[in-house]
Amino acid sequence: MSTGVTISSISDYAILGCGSVGYAVAEELVEQGKDVLIIDRDESRVESLRDQDLDARRADIREPEAAELVADRDVVLILASDVESNKQAVEHIRAADDSQFVVARASDPVSGDELSELGADIVINPSSVIAESALRALESGELEYNAGKLADLVEETATRLAIVTQDSPDPDSIASAAALQAIADHLGIESDIIYLGDVGHQENRAFVNLLGIDLVQWDEIEDHSVYDTVALVDHGTAGEMELPVDIVIDHNESESESEPEFVDIRPNMSSTSTIMTKYIQEFDMNVSEEVATALLYGIRAETLDFKRDTTPADLTAAAYLYPFANHDTLEQVESPSMSPETLDVLAEAITNRDVQGSHLISNAGIVRDREALTQAASHLLNLEGVTTTAVFGIADETIFLAGRSKDIRINIGKVLDDAYGEIGETAGHSTQASAEIPLGIFTGIEISEDTRDTLLELTEEAVKRTLFDAMGVEGGGSEGSNGS
């Protein structure tokens, strides 16, 4: 077939073998105004097709004659149920003319490979096509059902809906909450986006400020009883809120023991923003520029700009959002200025880095902004030869640790859980994770101004040794190198 010609522009088709599959394809092509020639060896079937004003001729597709009859056709679809006949038809067509575009029907992966080797440009397996179609229909039906159930729950809100993000919300959590708030507004229900910790990361603060997303700190709310419906997005537990949870939407499995009335957890998607985009589409809403920008950034942040664990659902959601998003705002969010505190933490982490092989651990000392630890861990991951980083610091008598990894052999979330899960709190996944550990747990020494320096020294050694061991680094935590 000539270069630059698309299938949609072609008008001359031939179908070899016109059973139920061939007939369905022929009907659709004729409906599109295409010129279709049908070849089949069953005389009664050919007569029946002619009675329906279709151009049908009798010939055995296993014989060279059939290839000669369709020699003037640009596209040949070989769709008999007998795969051996299809193989012979491909061979004859390729022997006669190598320029025709050939689509052939297989029955399984093995016959599919054989047809490709014989020269078929495209191989289709009806059973696989049916299975994929059934799964798409199931997914569509399930989404429609879930959207109806979600709408019913939201509309039952008598006073106000609480949409709860992660304690220190990241872009995926913030964007998902903004989307649910837009859905609630679409349904005529008032809501607040609530967080329990702080928005510390500079990129996240820029994200919230530039898009005008209104987040409310839980402790600043005077009357908590105003919330009679509670939804968690990208977040597994309501923690200290002590309110019954009605709705949970997340892309990670939750260990919470609560049993909300509505749960939509999809580990097969890389971000909660992807899930919320599906709901926006299902509700047939006019998505605002702010929400579209937030969701697109949430997907990009969670997939490292489509470089990590990206699924087809993430890509189709991003494609839907792209025309509605403000790309100037996205660029501003992705390039926020660095605060003096973050620069101080990064400088301290660079100075104190201990590198064992491709693994780096660093003590940033006493920090005021613990979110600066995550930025330092990300920046240090750019050092030559480094594939895994962990930066820890001390604040409020607690050791806060941020881990990052681009090593496919390491799940940094599991590493931190193995190292500190029994003595502190850990969270995260394969490429990024965090841990919080009570400061005195390694030493047993009571914390005071006189003992603080000693604690810092003891803590540094204990944290590094435990973490290097969990990473599987031999001799970890001993005399490392700062790379100088």
Side-chain angles (χ1 to χ4, degrees):
M1 192 167 60
S2 62
T3 305
V5 178
T6 63
I7 294 296
S8 60
S9 68
I10 294 169
S11 59
D12 295 330
Y13 291 78
I15 294 176
L16 275 60
C18 195
S20 58
V21 174
Y23 180 73
V25 173
E27 265 198 320
E28 180 61 31
L29 289 173
V30 170
E31 182 71 24
Q32 294 177 18
K34 308 297 185 182
D35 181 10
V36 181
L37 170 62
I38 300 170
I39 305 295
D40 197 280
R41 66 180 178 181
D42 187 320
E43 188 168 353
S44 61
R45 183 179 296 162
V46 169
E47 290 299 326
S48 175
L49 292 168
R50 286 174 175 169
D51 290 341
Q52 298 175 62
D53 293 327
L54 294 170
D55 185 2
R57 303 179 198 179
R58 183 180 178 278
D60 191 333
I61 71 170
R62 296 172 295 181
E63 301 298 329
E65 177 195 359
E68 294 171 6
L69 288 171
V70 300
D72 63 337
R73 301 285 156 159
D74 292 314
V75 179
V76 181
L77 300 102
I78 306 170
L79 302 176
S81 57
D82 179 17
V83 176
E84 292 303 318
S85 296
N86 292 347
K87 291 179 188 176
Q88 289 175 279
V90 172
E91 283 187 284
H92 292 313
I93 287 170
R94 282 296 176 236
D97 186 352
D98 197 41
S99 66
Q100 289 174 296
F101 194 88
V102 177
V103 179
R105 173 180 173 178
S107 59
D108 52 50
V110 174
S111 62
D113 290 341
E114 291 171 346
L115 285 162
S116 294
E117 289 172 5
L118 289 169
D121 295 291
I122 293 178
V123 175
I124 57 172
N125 185 342
S127 59
S128 298
V129 173
I130 292 169
E132 290 173 8
S133 178
L135 288 172
R136 285 196 299 270
L138 176 62
E139 181 181 343
S140 177
E142 186 178 19
L143 180 61
E144 182 180 356
Y145 172 79
N146 282 347
K149 189 175 178 183
L150 176 62
D152 290 342
L153 262 176
V154 170
E155 288 176 329
E156 287 175 6
T157 303
T159 51
R160 207 166 186 84
L161 167 67
I163 303 171
V164 185
T165 70
Q166 298 172 1
D167 289 355
S168 298
D170 64 9
D172 188 29
S173 189
I174 296 167
S176 301
L180 185 54
Q181 187 172 53
I183 289 171
D185 184 62
H186 176 71
L187 297 172
I189 300 300
E190 294 184 346
S191 63
D192 290 322
I193 300 175
I194 298 169
Y195 65 104
L196 281 78
D198 60 297
V199 185
H201 198 295
Q202 288 164 212
E203 205 167 288
N204 297 345
R205 290 198 295 267
F207 179 60
V208 170
N209 293 335
L210 285 169
L211 292 174
I213 299 172
D214 189 14
L215 273 64
V216 183
Q217 221 285 339
W218 176 250
D219 292 336
E220 296 177 1
I221 300 170
E222 295 182 3
D223 183 9
H224 295 154
S225 65
V226 70
Y227 301 108
D228 55 328
T229 304
V230 176
L232 306 185
V233 287
D234 198 42
H235 187 45
T237 173
E240 63 191 54
M241 291 179 64
E242 297 183 353
L243 291 176
V245 176
D246 305 287
I247 298 166
V248 173
I249 303 175
D250 202 345
H251 71 110
N252 288 317
E253 294 287 356
S254 170
E255 297 180 0
S256 173
E257 296 180 358
S258 64
E259 296 183 358
E261 190 170 343
F262 179 88
V263 177
D264 189 355
I265 297 177
R266 305 193 211 180
N268 62 322
M269 293 188 182
S270 298
S271 72
T272 306
S273 293
T274 299
I275 301 173
M276 295 310 303
T277 301
K278 301 292 184 186
Y279 279 114
I280 291 281
Q281 291 175 283
E282 185 61 33
F283 280 105
D284 196 23
M285 298 165 48
N286 291 323
V287 61
S288 69
E289 181 179 273
E290 293 75 19
V291 171
T293 305
L295 287 170
L296 181 56
Y297 183 61
I299 296 170
R300 287 174 53 173
E302 205 68 9
T303 61
L304 293 183
D305 217 7
F306 308 109
K307 298 186 192 76
R308 176 187 71 196
D309 300 333
T310 308
T311 69
D314 302 315
L315 295 174
T316 55
Y320 167 76
L321 296 165
Y322 190 87
F324 304 110
N326 186 318
H327 299 279
D328 291 335
T329 300
L330 280 174
E331 189 174 340
Q332 287 180 274
V333 171
E334 290 168 340
S335 307
S337 57
M338 187 176 287
S339 70
E341 165 70 5
T342 300
L343 281 173
D344 290 343
V345 169
L346 180 57
E348 193 75 13
I350 291 172
T351 301
N352 295 333
R353 69 192 186 280
D354 186 349
V355 181
Q356 302 283 343
S358 63
H359 308 303
L360 179 152
I361 300 177
S362 186
N363 179 8
I366 297 173
V367 297
R368 294 188 301 276
D369 179 7
R370 65 186 193 229
E371 284 294 327
L373 298 171
T374 64
Q375 291 174 274
S378 296
H379 280 290
L380 290 174
L381 199 60
N382 294 320
L383 291 177
E384 184 177 356
V386 172
T387 62
T388 303
T389 62
V391 179
F392 63 94
I394 296 170
D396 302 324
E397 300 187 356
T398 300
I399 302 166
F400 293 96
L401 187 148
R404 294 291 184 270
S405 181
K406 57 185 178 184
D407 188 338
I408 61 173
R409 299 166 299 176
I410 283 185
N411 182 321
I412 191 65
K414 187 176 186 305
V415 167
L416 294 194
D417 191 56
D418 289 344
Y420 312 117
E422 294 184 0
I423 59 175
E425 295 182 8
T426 63
H429 46 69
S430 60
T431 59
Q432 59 186 51
S434 61
E436 297 182 16
I437 312 147
L439 178 58
I441 203 157
F442 284 113
T443 62
I445 300 173
E446 186 177 346
I447 301 167
S448 68
E449 288 298 324
D450 296 332
T451 62
R452 186 172 293 276
D453 289 342
T454 303
L455 276 172
L456 285 172
E457 293 176 11
L458 293 172
T459 298
E460 178 174 20
E461 179 61 27
V463 170
K464 286 165 60 177
R465 183 176 63 252
T466 304
L467 188 49
F468 273 131
D469 286 346
M471 288 177 176
V473 177
E474 294 185 10
S478 57
E479 294 184 8
S481 166
N482 67 4
S484 59

